[in-house]
């Protein structure tokens, strides 16, 4: 049996603790190492940039410099994800302030094999491509603001010139920039880039400065970049690939195992995509992860109607695969596509969440249920509210007994029996 395809999994957390290294002093956020030259009794009272509670400066020679909250504090920055996000954000802002009036170059890594996402995604056994692309992003800023209010959104870092926004940097730890935020950035007409929060950006030995390009995950001008060797085939041939409608996205999906007659198994994801506006779906189609070609085009309608139609199309496709000798298995209901995708939109359908239920018997050349797993349903996916994709059978009303007419004479009077 072929080895199952490995999928990216989120880290549970770094081995070494991530501690807060920024503190607020008289309205200004400063790095805690700036107080290291002062004697303990000469150091000012500083507070946390998030909760504004007093913190204790730990500036010894054994552990790395950091600020510690008082016992019993419930500040969210004590979680390593929040501390990593805050440390990266304030270091980038400080480095950009020091280089005011200069230029910022961003670097994108080839997206082959999920790209290079630093500490965000750990992909065992897959080595990403090391090719990079450097692009001039912005220049000539005179001020840098953190959590600056722009319209009805607050970006992590805003570069300003004469008080007007010049560029935006969003620092990501576990969640990508939402579509709502991107729409607001587009309305402002300000270029933006998304940076992955890593300790390498602010660690003492590898701290980033504007002298080198800033590695970003994506920008407003380029969501993904491939080198010449790994560029999609149509792009290498010089063909113009139509950009999909950003609102046209998968909204329902299910995992499907395809057991082939030769003893190999292929894990696929069948999804329903379309533009969802309220309770209606437009430009709907049924597709699957294994191919860019759609399985069926679906008529527009309500979400329940489209899902029911998609389910019937899925059953037709399954019958075609069975006629070709495959055995299909999908012991789950239709689920929201968001529950089967990670932050970058990649399908997450590993065998840990969805164990394969059959194994190939070499003697009989057939697929047989796995002991202890063969009858287990995949219950980890969230079920859609409109998952009732088949119409309930209506119960036939009982046929009334025929009424026996009573004998009557020619005048309509009842005859005596």
């Amino acid at each position: 049996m072929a080895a199952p395809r490995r999928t990216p999994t989120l880290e549970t957390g770094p081995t070494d603790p991530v501690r807060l290294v920024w503190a607020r002093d008289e309205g200004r956020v400063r790095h805690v190492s700036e107080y290291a030259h002062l004697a303990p009794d000469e150091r000012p009272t500083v507070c946390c940039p998030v909760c504004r509670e007093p913190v204790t400066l730990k500036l010894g020679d054994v552990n790395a410099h950091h600020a510690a909250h008082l016992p019993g504090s419930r500040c969210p920055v004590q979680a390593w994800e929040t501390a990593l996000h805050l440390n990266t954000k304030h270091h980038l802002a400080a480095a950009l302030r020091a280089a005011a009036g200069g230029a910022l170059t961003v670097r994108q890594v080839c997206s082959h094999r999920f790209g290079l996402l630093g500490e965000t995604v750990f992909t065992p056994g897959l080595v990403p491509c090391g090719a990079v692309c450097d692009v001039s992003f912005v220049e000539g800023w005179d001020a840098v603001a953190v959590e600056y209010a722009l319209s009805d959104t607050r970006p992590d870092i805003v570069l300003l010139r004469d008080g007007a926004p010049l560029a935006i940097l969003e620092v990501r730890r576990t969640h990508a920039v939402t579509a709502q935020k991107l729409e607001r950035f587009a309305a402002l007409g300000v270029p933006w880039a998304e940076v992955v929060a890593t300790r390498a950006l602010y660690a003492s030995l590898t701290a980033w400065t504007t002298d080198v390009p800033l590695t970003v995950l994506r920008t407003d001008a380029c969501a993904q970049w491939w080198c010449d060797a790994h560029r999609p085939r149509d792009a290498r041939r010089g063909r113009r690939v139509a950009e999909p409608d950003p609102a046209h996205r998968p909204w329902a999906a299910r995992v499907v195992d395809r057991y082939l007659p030769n003893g190999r198994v292929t894990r696929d994801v069948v999804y329903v995509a379309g533009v969802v506006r309220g309770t209606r779906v437009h430009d709907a189609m049924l597709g699957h992860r294994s191919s860019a070609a759609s399985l069926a085009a679906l008529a527009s309608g309500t979400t329940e109607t489209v899902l029911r139609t998609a389910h019937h199309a899925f059953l037709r496709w399954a019958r075609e695969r069975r006629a070709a000798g495959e055995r299909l298995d999908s012991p789950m209901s239709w689920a929201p596509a968001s529950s089967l995708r990670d932050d970058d939109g990649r399908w997450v359908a590993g065998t840990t969440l969805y164990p394969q239920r059959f194994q190939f018997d070499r003697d009989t050349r057939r697929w047989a249920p796995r002991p202890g797993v063969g009858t287990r349903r995949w219950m980890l996916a969230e079920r859609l509210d409109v998952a009732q994709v088949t119409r309930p059978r209506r119960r036939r009303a009982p046929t009334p007994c025929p009424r026996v007419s009573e004998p009557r004479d020619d005048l309509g009077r009842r005859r005596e029996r």
Side-chain angles (χ1 to χ4, degrees):
M1 183 184 299
R5 182 180 179 181
R6 293 178 176 178
T7 56
T9 56
L10 293 179
E11 285 186 347
T12 56
T15 304
D16 299 330
V18 178
R19 299 186 175 96
L20 177 66
V21 296
W22 293 85
R24 180 176 293 275
D25 177 17
E26 296 180 355
R28 179 187 173 192
V29 179
R30 305 173 62 182
H31 198 279
V32 295
S33 295
E34 296 184 22
Y35 306 100
H37 68 284
L38 299 176
D41 55 348
E42 298 177 355
R43 295 169 186 167
T45 302
V46 295
C47 62
C48 171
V50 176
C51 65
R52 307 298 176 91
E53 296 177 354
V55 292
T56 303
L57 297 177
K58 303 289 185 178
L59 307 177
D61 299 330
V62 178
N63 297 323
H65 294 175
H66 65 280
H69 284 75
L70 299 177
S73 175
R74 297 184 178 181
C75 179
V77 83
Q78 295 182 98
W80 69 272
E81 301 98 331
T82 309
L84 183 62
H85 180 272
L86 188 142
N87 291 340
T88 304
K89 176 172 60 178
H90 282 285
H91 173 78
L92 293 177
L96 291 168
R97 289 193 192 98
L104 173 63
T105 301
V106 296
R107 169 174 294 176
Q108 284 188 275
V109 182
C110 178
S111 297
H112 177 63
R113 288 185 172 178
F114 311 130
L116 186 63
L117 302 185
E119 293 178 331
T120 299
V121 174
F122 173 65
T123 310
L126 295 183
V127 179
C129 176
V132 297
C133 175
D134 295 344
V135 180
S136 177
F137 181 63
V138 66
E139 61 182 13
W141 66 91
D142 55 18
V144 179
V146 177
E147 299 289 343
Y148 187 76
L150 286 179
S151 182
D152 54 351
T153 183
R154 285 183 174 271
D156 288 330
I157 301 174
V158 180
L159 282 71
L160 306 167
R161 181 166 59 194
D162 298 332
L166 196 63
I168 293 173
L169 290 179
E170 280 288 323
V171 180
R172 167 186 173 179
R173 174 53 220 167
T174 55
H175 300 289
V177 182
T178 62
Q180 291 78 7
K181 254 192 176 183
L182 297 184
E183 292 176 358
R184 294 172 185 143
F185 294 166
L188 293 171
V190 179
W192 58 269
E194 188 177 20
V195 186
V196 177
T198 61
R199 284 178 292 184
L201 284 174
Y202 64 87
S204 58
L205 298 178
T206 58
W208 175 82
T209 62
T210 55
D211 297 335
V212 297
L214 175 63
T215 301
V216 299
L217 185 60
R218 56 176 176 166
T219 66
D220 63 313
C222 184
Q224 287 181 311
W225 178 82
W226 285 273
C227 65
D228 293 337
H230 299 125
R231 192 173 302 165
R233 185 176 302 174
D234 289 340
R236 290 202 302 266
R237 293 178 179 176
R239 298 178 182 176
R240 182 177 179 180
V241 181
E243 291 293 334
D245 185 355
H248 190 278
R249 59 176 64 92
W251 61 276
R254 65 189 303 155
V255 180
V256 181
D257 279 337
R258 300 168 59 179
Y259 297 92
L260 308 181
N262 58 2
R264 300 184 62 183
V265 59
T266 301
R267 172 144 292 181
D268 206 346
V269 177
V270 179
Y271 59 86
V272 185
V275 180
V276 181
R277 295 190 179 97
T279 60
R280 296 188 62 83
V281 183
H282 305 272
D283 300 331
M285 54 86 68
L286 182 69
H288 61 136
R289 183 179 63 176
S290 301
S291 175
S294 63
L295 296 178
L298 309 175
S300 302
T302 63
T303 53
E304 183 176 358
T305 303
V306 171
L307 186 57
R308 184 182 300 112
T309 307
H311 183 69
H312 293 320
F314 166 70
L315 294 179
R316 288 195 298 270
W317 173 74
R319 286 193 292 267
E320 294 174 359
R321 301 320 309 161
R322 292 193 189 99
E326 297 182 12
R327 178 168 188 171
L328 270 66
D329 187 46
S330 180
M332 62 179 293
S333 304
W334 288 97
S338 58
S339 65
L340 300 178
R341 308 181 83 183
D342 61 11
D343 294 338
D344 299 314
R346 293 186 295 266
W347 297 108
V348 179
T351 55
T352 302
L353 297 178
Y354 310 97
Q356 295 174 354
R357 305 200 308 164
F358 295 90
Q359 60 184 1
F360 191 69
D361 190 342
R362 298 291 179 182
D363 298 332
T364 61
R365 305 293 297 177
R366 293 183 179 179
W367 292 96
R370 289 179 178 272
V373 185
T375 59
R376 185 182 306 172
R377 286 181 57 84
W378 297 333
M379 301 298 294
L380 296 178
E382 180 184 355
R383 182 169 177 161
L384 277 176
D385 294 336
V386 291
Q388 300 296 334
V389 295
T390 56
R391 291 183 181 273
R393 294 184 178 180
R394 295 182 179 180
R395 297 183 60 184
R396 284 189 174 183
T399 305
C401 296
R403 184 175 180 180
V404 180
S405 59
E406 298 177 348
R408 296 178 181 270
D409 57 13
D410 295 339
L411 299 178
R413 293 175 296 186
R414 184 182 301 175
R415 293 179 181 177
E416 296 182 1
R417 294 182 181 271

